[in-house]
Amino acid sequence: MRTTARLLAGPAPAAACVGAAAGSSARAADPGTLALTPSSTTAGASVTASTTACGRRGHGTGDAGSLGAERFDLAPGAGEGAAAAAAAAAGGFTVPEDTEPGTYTVSVLCDNGSKAYGDLVVRAHGHEPSGHVKTGVGGSVGPDITQITAGAAVLAAAAVGGTWLLRRRASGAQG
């Protein structure tokens, strides 16, 4: 009897963990999620909103009032991009030019009564950094053949010199 209890003591907690993980992954695909493409943008840009919360042929009304945009409609197959194609309902809006940088919540109320929410990050306009960082340290720039060759030559010279010194000492100690 104890052997059976011990045999079942290991798999039982493991099965409970697997069941809990399956439940959390089902919540991760929550239909109340609103996908915003792009999820990070600047003022004046167009954004596509898509969700499966409205159902296969669902419609809805989006509210981007938190960032000063007007309401927008969601319809099956509307919008652009892969996110809109995979979703049951999609629509779009433009981020107003006077929107301050920050994170804004966009919501959708579907005709079936479901709600979906998503966050949009608005970045500041201006020049964004590009190119290599010229700090003189690290490998942010491609390889320099001259430096690689010089380094290899220094290592080879050190190896030859070290070998010569060790052989000289060895031969001097014997004689």
Side-chain angles (χ1 to χ4, degrees):
M1 179 74 173
R2 274 194 247 192
T3 307
T4 306
R6 285 184 185 165
L7 286 174
L8 294 177
C17 290
V18 169
S24 66
S25 67
R27 282 190 297 274
D30 183 19
T33 302
L34 181 65
L36 300 170
T37 308
S39 61
S40 178
T41 188
T42 58
S46 295
V47 177
T48 300
S50 57
T51 185
T52 56
C54 296
R56 186 171 262 303
R57 300 206 186 273
H59 291 78
T61 302
D63 183 8
S66 64
L67 52 97
E70 296 183 12
R71 293 185 180 268
F72 58 97
D73 292 325
L74 280 85
E80 300 175 11
F93 62 93
T94 301
V95 179
E97 289 288 341
D98 61 344
T99 303
E100 294 291 322
T103 302
Y104 298 89
T105 299
V106 179
S107 62
V108 169
L109 176 60
C110 299
D111 291 347
N112 65 5
S114 296
K115 295 179 182 178
Y117 302 93
D119 288 334
L120 177 69
V121 176
V122 177
R123 299 183 316 267
H125 271 297
H127 178 71
E128 293 192 20
S130 64
H132 298 292
V133 178
K134 299 190 184 211
T135 61
V137 180
S140 64
V141 181
D144 182 2
I145 301 301
T146 306
Q147 289 180 350
I148 292 172
T149 305
V154 168
L155 289 174
V160 168
T163 303
W164 179 75
L165 283 174
L166 289 174
R167 290 185 134 228
R168 185 171 175 220
R169 277 190 176 186
S171 65
Q174 292 175 354

